Amino acid sequence: MVFSSITFLLGYLPIVLAIYYLSPRKVRNYFLFFASLLFYAWGEPVYVVIMILSTVADYSFALYADYYNQKGDHKKARRAIYATVIFNLGALGFFKYTDFILGALNGAFHWNIPLLGLPLPIGISFYSFQTMSYTIDVYRGEAKPQKNVLDLGAYVALFPQLIAGPIVRYTTIEHQLNHRKENLDQFSQGVCRFITGLGKKVLIANQVGVVFAQISQVAPGELSVLSTWLGAIAYSLQIYFDFSGYSDMAIGLGKMLGFDFLENFNYPYIAKSITDFWRRWHISLSTWFRDYVYIPLGGNRKGLKKQYRNIFIVWMLTGIWHGANWNYIIWGLYYAILLMLEKAFLGKWIAKLPSAFQHVYTLLLVVISWVIFSIEDLSLLGSWLQTMFGLNGAPLVSTDALFYLKNYATVIVFGIIASLPWKPVLQRRLAGAGGQRLIRVAQPVLLVGLFTICMAFLVSDTYNPFLYFRF
């Protein structure tokens, strides 16, 4: 079940919210846990067992770590860290990477080991990181162990962020889990945020996604320079509005239930460097790797060479986390190299350029990165990159490219404008009493209109994927 579906919007969500608010406060976590299991089981009826096992396992590991920390035996407490890493990464690795490893071995040694063909459990990359971070934070003394396994289950399985994040750390909602106070103002903020995210997804991501989907089906020899750039820009907009739209919906749903999740995006396409871009994109993943991999490895405290090593390791793992294919590894290494270059000297040079050049530099490299990210066939990837820069004799313009430009220019331009921070600027200009009255009157009308338009698109459109579901 996806947030941008009729089933969710008109069935699951209204029923869950009604029962949630009619339930006594002391049983709301239990209801959320079972409602979230139903949400997950809607698409993964078998693999829900894995998520339950992960919850129970880390519930036990955290209690073990806390018990021995209290006794002062930190060596035994550290065993909980080894256990959570082995259990969670073992499950993630088995389902996500077994066939990739077997395929690589078959190709390298001309073996013929049959692939398992296991479907990837939806959301396993996200909830595995969440449960691991819970045990680690308890071991570090940054969180108290949860005594009630069903309360912990409500955190792990919480349906707003279960499938595609943001990665919500236990420390973020530890107090809210048992002491949240839902109110009408927070609920209305949540509705506003949810509908905004739905609009991003349905009206922008889905529409520009059609452009990339069609261009990516064109035979490599028939592509032009313009068509590949149109496809690359369309995918760059699609993945941003798809994922940030989902994050907005998740944050909005959280507010409707009394939770405050941290932001996951901060206008990444206005970044002035690659370093700046990764402070703004998928913030929950970046901070997770920073806090649980980069800093424990030494961060930037042990000299430049080890800092480069740490950046390399983090970005190799980031690429692997995203998918079991060579293009994701290349994508991770691509960013590792860029970030190391910016640390070494490039960042200082770029900072001296006018802002416009900084933006162009960043966006050019980011758009290229999304081409690497989106095309799993390395042969096709190489052909696309060559065509983008006119290195394989491809024509500058083609009839197909002009067709896409004519039919989708409006939505692409709208997507570019929507990716800019116009909202905070508008809020500042309407900060006065008159502006606030205008917002109070206009906002409900605009939200109802936006929701109605989204519903109309959902009824008529068939293209409605969530890109991050497969990670």
Side-chain angles (χ1 to χ4, degrees):
M1 194 187 310
V2 298
F3 294 164
S4 58
S5 68
I6 302 297
T7 302
F8 179 83
L9 294 170
L10 300 185
Y12 178 88
L13 182 59
I15 293 171
V16 167
L17 288 176
I19 297 175
Y20 176 80
Y21 277 100
L22 290 172
S23 301
R25 192 172 296 278
K26 63 182 180 181
V27 301
R28 286 182 180 177
N29 280 353
Y30 304 154
F31 171 70
L32 275 182
F33 178 51
F34 290 110
S36 297
L37 292 183
L38 174 63
F39 176 86
Y40 189 84
W42 193 274
E44 297 284 5
V46 177
Y47 286 155
V48 71
V49 175
I50 300 170
M51 186 175 60
I52 294 173
L53 287 175
S54 179
T55 302
V56 173
D58 278 281
Y59 170 79
S60 304
F61 298 152
L63 289 176
Y64 180 94
D66 183 65
Y67 174 78
Y68 281 105
N69 271 337
Q70 294 295 331
K71 295 183 69 173
D73 193 340
H74 301 297
K75 184 176 181 180
K76 284 188 177 179
R78 198 176 300 118
R79 293 174 183 171
I81 304 301
Y82 304 144
T84 189
V85 170
I86 292 170
F87 180 87
N88 287 289
L89 293 188
L92 178 62
F94 176 74
F95 284 100
K96 196 166 187 176
Y97 306 109
T98 298
D99 279 358
F100 173 68
I101 294 170
L102 291 177
L105 291 173
N106 286 342
F109 300 103
H110 305 289
W111 294 344
N112 194 28
I113 304 172
L115 304 184
L116 301 182
L118 293 171
L120 179 67
I122 295 174
I124 189 171
S125 297
F126 290 90
Y127 68 72
S128 294
F129 273 29
Q130 288 188 184
T131 55
M132 268 197 299
S133 67
Y134 164 68
T135 299
I136 294 169
D137 287 344
V138 170
Y139 166 77
R140 291 174 172 178
E142 296 174 5
K144 294 179 180 179
Q146 179 56 248
K147 304 299 184 182
N148 188 321
V149 68
L150 292 182
D151 283 339
L152 183 66
Y155 154 69
V156 175
L158 194 59
F159 73 88
Q161 48 79 51
L162 171 63
I163 303 298
I167 299 172
V168 178
R169 310 245 286 266
Y170 184 76
T171 51
T172 302
I173 62 167
E174 180 180 6
H175 180 77
Q176 300 168 32
L177 197 60
N178 295 109
H179 302 95
R180 61 188 179 279
K181 300 291 184 182
E182 303 90 345
N183 58 69
L184 183 60
D185 183 59
Q186 187 183 35
F187 188 91
S188 63
Q189 290 178 28
V191 171
C192 180
R193 190 67 179 269
F194 180 86
I195 294 177
T196 301
L198 183 66
K200 283 183 176 182
K201 166 62 181 164
V202 175
L203 303 183
I204 304 179
N206 284 2
Q207 308 314 311
V208 294
V210 172
V211 182
F212 178 74
Q214 292 181 357
I215 293 177
S216 63
Q217 297 302 313
V218 177
E222 299 176 12
L223 289 168
S224 65
V225 174
L226 178 59
S227 60
T228 52
W229 277 101
L230 277 175
I233 293 169
Y235 186 82
S236 300
L237 292 172
Q238 181 190 9
I239 196 167
Y240 170 62
F241 285 105
D242 186 275
F243 194 18
S244 71
Y246 187 97
S247 293
D248 284 343
M249 286 188 274
I251 291 168
L253 288 169
K255 286 184 178 295
M256 292 183 212
L257 298 169
F259 293 96
D260 287 310
F261 302 154
L262 298 180
E263 295 295 333
N264 207 24
F265 289 87
N266 182 23
Y267 300 103
Y269 289 159
I270 68 167
K272 296 182 178 181
S273 67
I274 297 302
T275 303
D276 186 27
F277 176 79
W278 277 103
R279 293 191 187 110
R280 297 171 176 272
W281 179 278
H282 203 345
I283 298 168
S284 63
L285 181 67
S286 300
T287 54
W288 196 99
F289 273 110
R290 180 197 66 197
D291 294 345
Y292 298 107
V293 180
Y294 182 72
I295 291 176
L297 285 172
N300 58 3
R301 303 187 306 274
K302 298 183 178 180
L304 199 57
K305 288 184 178 179
K306 288 192 176 179
Q307 184 181 8
Y308 290 160
R309 179 205 64 184
N310 298 340
I311 291 172
F312 178 86
I313 291 171
V314 164
W315 282 95
M316 171 71 82
L317 293 175
T318 302
I320 292 172
W321 181 88
H322 276 88
N325 209 299
W326 288 109
N327 70 302
Y328 298 114
I329 296 175
I330 295 170
W331 177 82
L333 294 178
Y334 171 88
Y335 273 117
I337 292 169
L338 289 176
L339 290 166
M340 285 189 282
L341 288 174
E342 287 193 354
K343 293 286 184 186
F345 64 89
L346 190 57
K348 294 179 181 178
W349 289 3
I350 297 300
K352 295 176 182 179
L353 297 175
S355 290
F357 287 97
Q358 295 176 36
H359 289 306
V360 170
Y361 152 81
T362 304
L363 288 174
L364 176 64
L365 293 176
V366 168
V367 169
I368 293 170
S369 81
W370 291 133
V371 174
I372 299 170
F373 188 87
S374 63
I375 302 176
E376 295 187 353
D377 184 314
L378 295 188
S379 173
L380 179 59
L381 172 59
S383 178
W384 256 71
L385 292 173
Q386 290 180 55
T387 302
M388 286 177 71
F389 294 97
L391 300 178
N392 58 359
L396 183 63
V397 180
S398 64
T399 304
D400 287 346
L402 293 175
F403 170 82
Y404 296 128
L405 187 61
K406 177 183 177 181
N407 286 276
Y408 293 101
T410 301
V411 71
I412 289 175
V413 170
F414 181 72
I416 292 170
I417 294 171
S419 69
L420 302 175
W422 56 268
K423 184 178 178 180
V425 172
L426 187 62
Q427 287 175 331
R428 285 196 297 271
R429 292 189 176 182
L430 296 175
Q436 291 304 303
R437 283 196 297 271
L438 177 63
I439 290 174
R440 283 195 296 270
V441 173
Q443 189 176 61
V445 176
L446 293 174
L447 289 174
V448 170
L450 179 58
F451 184 76
T452 303
I453 294 170
C454 289
M455 292 299 292
F457 270 78
L458 288 174
V459 169
S460 60
D461 284 357
T462 57
Y463 186 80
N464 189 32
F466 262 119
L467 297 180
Y468 261 73
F469 273 26
R470 60 193 176 100
F471 304 130

